[in-house]
């Protein structure tokens, strides 16, 4: 794929198989070239329809000099902020979500008892 940049002219780059081929900074600087996968939304059901808990996207910045570096990572969007995560950090998020699920189930049981007993 050829991407025009203001600082290095036309830049040739091979897209990973998972890349959508849509570059956020086409026509920008070479350092801004980013490979991204399709976004995965994790949702939960609510009374008014699904609500998005978080969004996940594979990402790679082949010319960056900044963190998280040039290796592929998962961009996790939580509460409007984006976090670059490696596999261990993704496991931590999954573990945290499992702990949150336990808390939600516990509160659901408590609510059921309160409704049943009227107190």
């Amino acid at each position: 794929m050829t991407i025009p940049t203001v600082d290095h002219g036309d830049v040739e780059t091979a897209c990973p198989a998972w890349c959508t081929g849509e570059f956020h900074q086409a026509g920008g600087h070479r350092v801004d070239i980013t490979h991204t996968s399709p976004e995965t939304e994790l949702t939960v059901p609510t009374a008014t329809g699904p609500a998005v808990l978080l969004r996940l996207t594979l990402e790679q910045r082949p010319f960056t000099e900044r963190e998280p570096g040039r290796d592929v990572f998962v961009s996790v969007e939580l509460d409007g902020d984006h976090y670059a995560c490696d596999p261990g950090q993704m496991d931590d998020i999954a573990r945290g979500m499992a702990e949150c699920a336990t808390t939600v189930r516990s509160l659901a049981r408590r609510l059921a008892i309160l409704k049943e007993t009227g107190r």
Side-chain angles (χ1 to χ4, degrees):
M1 170 163 287
T2 303
I3 303 165
T5 66
V6 296
D7 56 347
H8 287 84
D10 288 347
V11 174
E12 293 286 330
T13 185
C15 289
W18 47 263
C19 181
T20 63
E22 298 174 13
F23 296 89
H24 299 289
Q25 299 294 327
H29 294 86
R30 183 178 74 165
V31 72
D32 297 324
I33 293 173
T34 304
H35 297 292
T36 57
S37 71
E39 185 175 82
T40 299
E41 288 187 341
L42 301 185
T43 63
V44 294
T46 71
T48 58
V52 177
L53 283 180
L54 54 96
R55 292 179 175 89
L56 308 167
T57 308
L58 285 170
E59 195 170 313
Q60 184 180 28
R61 301 171 187 164
F63 302 102
T64 190
E65 298 298 328
R66 297 174 287 162
E67 289 296 322
R70 296 180 181 189
D71 287 336
V72 65
F73 61 93
V74 174
S75 176
V76 179
E77 181 189 345
L78 291 164
D79 200 26
D81 290 324
H82 293 267
Y83 302 90
C85 297
D86 63 25
Q89 292 164 323
M90 293 297 297
D91 286 339
D92 290 344
I93 289 171
R95 209 172 1 269
M97 291 176 69
E99 291 168 5
C100 290
T102 298
T103 301
V104 170
R105 284 186 191 102
S106 175
L107 283 172
R109 298 297 72 78
R110 183 174 178 195
L111 177 60
I113 292 167
L114 291 172
K115 287 178 142 303
E116 188 176 292
T117 63
R119 322 184 227 155

